[in-house]
């Protein structure tokens, strides 16, 4: 059965395909975003960027602010805790040509929490709203907010509603909610009933949902049943940029395909080339080791292959691994595995992936 997609709006931008690439520190860089776009993604967000580093144009963080001409519409995400610094950084992000500035009030990593950034602001909605106002005043592009359901598991939802309503009243164009508490980090199921309530509360505001969008079938199911304007895919796409193409196939009434090993190898080579060009040899190889481990999920010998990628150090090692593992010899096994486990068997749960 086919299902009609509804575009969503971010201010005066229209996004036709409502399955977006999440901000993913360590993954949603320019090389990966471009691959996802090639596979049918239409809206993506950068990795989070620290406001102070962007404001002083720290060399280390400037790679985060780069993007390609083919990447629009694209959001640049900022994390920080002072209205002035966030406004300065937002202006740089907008001047750089990002179409949207996204503000991160969701990050649960200890370093951010200790420094009162990211998800820690779920405990201080007043400061979050001051930041939002400062950023909205500083830029001409749409400003959006990413937050979570609550800070601690046993907190009420009061801070969430205060922050969300404050963001809407300040003129934010969209809210993305990760349906977990900050304390939960990435464990336990995301609360989609809560996300449905958020959308019901803001019928005229664009609201995207995040959490456990781990397989293309589940993404479509959530789109059909949640009433949210879109869903955001995070761990589900790491090592599987084909996710977007698979979603589009389901929507067209076709069977989504796990790519052949030959295609997987071709895309991985393309990813490596882009990493080398973007970061140079040392960081490019390090990043591709991490990504190779994730790409192994679409291989019939995922566990053994992951261990092989762990030892990868150079492009030569990488080409050797592809030459040994991505051959016709394993294609029949891959097809059998897909028949046995379905596409979700290849693409779901990655509890070991953490920022
Ligand atoms: C490796 C990794 C990096 C992430 N980096 C960011 C980030 O930079 N900014 C952000 O707002 N969320 C970040 N997230 C959270 C995701 O965007 C998403 O909200 C979360 O993973 C829930 O979706 P999932 O359960 O489908 O993975 C990250 C998550 C992971 C796993």
């Amino acid at each position: 059965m086919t299902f009609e997609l509804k575009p969503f709006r971010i201010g005066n931008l229209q996004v036709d395909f409502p399955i977006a690439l999440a901000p993913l520190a360590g993954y949603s860089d320019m090389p990966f975003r471009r691959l996802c776009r090639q596979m049918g993604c239409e809206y993506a967000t950068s990795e989070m960027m620290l406001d102070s580093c962007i404001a002083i144009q720290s060399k280390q963080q400037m790679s985060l602010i780069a993007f390609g001409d083919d990447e629009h519409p694209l959001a640049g995400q900022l994390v920080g805790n002072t209205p002035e610094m966030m406004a300065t950084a937002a202006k740089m992000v907008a001047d750089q040509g990002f179409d949207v500035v996204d503000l991160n009030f969701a990050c649960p990593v200890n370093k951010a929490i200790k420094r009162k950034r990211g998800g820690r602001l779920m405990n201080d909605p007043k400061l979050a709203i001051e930041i939002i106002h400062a950023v909205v005043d500083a830029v001409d592009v749409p400003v959006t907010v990413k937050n979570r359901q609550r800070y601690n598991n046993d907190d009420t939802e009061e801070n969430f509603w205060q922050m969300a309503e404050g963001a809407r009243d300040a003129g934010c164009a969209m809210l993305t909610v990760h349906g977990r508490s900050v304390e939960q980090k990435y464990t336990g199921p995301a609360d989609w009933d809560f996300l449905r309530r958020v959308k019901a509360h803001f019928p005229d505001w664009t609201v995207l949902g995040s959490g456990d969008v781990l397989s293309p079938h589940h993404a479509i199911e959530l789109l059909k049943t949640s009433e949210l304007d879109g869903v955001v895919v995070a761990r589900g796409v790491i090592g599987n940029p084909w996710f977007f193409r698979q979603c589009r196939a389901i929507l067209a009434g076709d069977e989504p395909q796990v790519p052949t090993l030959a295609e997987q190898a071709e895309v991985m080579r393309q990813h490596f080339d882009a990493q080398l060009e973007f970061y140079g040899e040392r960081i490019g190889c390090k990043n591709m080791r991490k990504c190779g481990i994730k790409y192994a999920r679409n291989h019939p010998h995922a566990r053994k292959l992951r261990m092989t990628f762990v030892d990868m150090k150079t492009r030569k090692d990488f080409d050797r691994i592809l030459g040994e593992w991505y051959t016709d010899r394993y294609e029949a096994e891959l097809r059998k595995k897909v028949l046995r486990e379905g596409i979700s068997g290849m693409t779901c749960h990655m509890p070991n992936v953490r920022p």
Side-chain angles (χ1 to χ4, degrees), residues 12-34:
N12 48 20
L13 284 174
Q14 175 168 313
V15 178
D16 290 328
F17 188 63
I19 300 174
L21 172 63
L24 287 167
Y27 293 96
S28 68
D29 56 5
M30 178 161 105
F32 189 64
R33 291 193 308 257
R34 278 179 141 168

Side-chain angles (χ1 to χ4, degrees), residues 22-25 27 47-48 77 104 146 178 180 186 210-214 234-235 238 353-355:
L24 287 167
Y27 293 96
E47 305 170 74
M48 64 182 162
Q77 190 187 67
N104 179 329
K146 163 106 181 273
H178 179 178
R180 291 186 172 94
Y186 298 90
S210 170
D212 293 338
V213 185
L214 297 171
R235 285 173 293 175
I238 297 176
V353 183
R354 299 275 183 275

Side-chain angles (χ1 to χ4, degrees), residues 62-114:
M62 289 323 272
S63 67
L64 300 181
I65 209 174
F67 61 85
D69 293 343
D70 53 349
E71 283 205 74
H72 298 286
L74 175 68
Q77 190 187 67
L78 288 170
V79 64
N81 60 16
T82 54
E84 302 74 25
M85 191 66 86
M86 285 288 264
T88 306
K91 204 166 163 352
M92 287 204 56
V93 167
D95 288 348
Q96 182 78 4
F98 281 87
D99 305 283
V100 172
V101 173
D102 187 47
L103 305 178
N104 179 329
F105 301 126
C107 177
V109 303
N110 291 342
K111 203 164 134 193
I113 299 298
K114 271 195 208 134

Side-chain angles (χ1 to χ4, degrees), residues 16-160:
D16 290 328
F17 188 63
I19 300 174
L21 172 63
L24 287 167
Y27 293 96
S28 68
D29 56 5
M30 178 161 105
F32 189 64
R33 291 193 308 257
R34 278 179 141 168
L35 276 186
C36 290
R37 211 167 274 272
Q38 199 176 301
M39 302 296 170
C41 168
E42 270 181 40
Y43 185 69
T45 303
S46 73
E47 305 170 74
M48 64 182 162
M49 305 181 264
L50 185 56
D51 60 348
S52 49
C53 291
I54 295 301
I56 60 161
Q57 301 189 31
S58 135
K59 212 173 149 204
Q60 201 196 356
Q61 294 252 319
M62 289 323 272
S63 67
L64 300 181
I65 209 174
F67 61 85
D69 293 343
D70 53 349
E71 283 205 74
H72 298 286
L74 175 68
Q77 190 187 67
L78 288 170
V79 64
N81 60 16
T82 54
E84 302 74 25
M85 191 66 86
M86 285 288 264
T88 306
K91 204 166 163 352
M92 287 204 56
V93 167
D95 288 348
Q96 182 78 4
F98 281 87
D99 305 283
V100 172
V101 173
D102 187 47
L103 305 178
N104 179 329
F105 301 126
C107 177
V109 303
N110 291 342
K111 203 164 134 193
I113 299 298
K114 271 195 208 134
R115 298 185 181 155
K116 208 174 173 188
R117 296 178 189 136
R120 178 66 175 74
L121 294 207
M122 288 306 301
N123 250 351
D124 193 346
K126 200 168 153 276
L127 177 57
I129 293 165
E130 279 172 34
I131 291 172
I132 294 166
H133 275 282
V135 171
V136 168
D137 287 347
V139 297
D140 292 329
V141 297
V143 176
T144 59
V145 160
K146 163 106 181 273
N147 69 359
R148 289 197 178 220
Q149 183 176 17
R150 45 168 70 94
Y151 186 71
N152 283 316
N153 295 342
D154 49 9
D155 288 346
T156 67
E157 289 167 2
E158 196 184 329
N159 284 358
F160 170 84

Side-chain angles (χ1 to χ4, degrees), residues 6 97 110 148 158 183 222 264 320 322:
K6 286 194 218 96
N110 291 342
R148 289 197 178 220
E158 196 184 329
E183 188 185 8
L222 287 169
Q264 291 183 39
R320 184 183 40 76
L322 294 195

Side-chain angles (χ1 to χ4, degrees), residues 203-238:
D204 301 324
W205 197 29
T206 305
V207 181
L208 305 190
S210 170
D212 293 338
V213 185
L214 297 171
S215 79
H217 286 105
H218 192 48
I220 306 298
E221 192 54 32
L222 287 169
L223 264 189
K224 284 183 183 170
T225 59
S226 70
E227 302 288 325
L228 272 83
D229 299 283
V231 301
V232 171
V233 49
R235 285 173 293 175
V237 77
I238 297 176

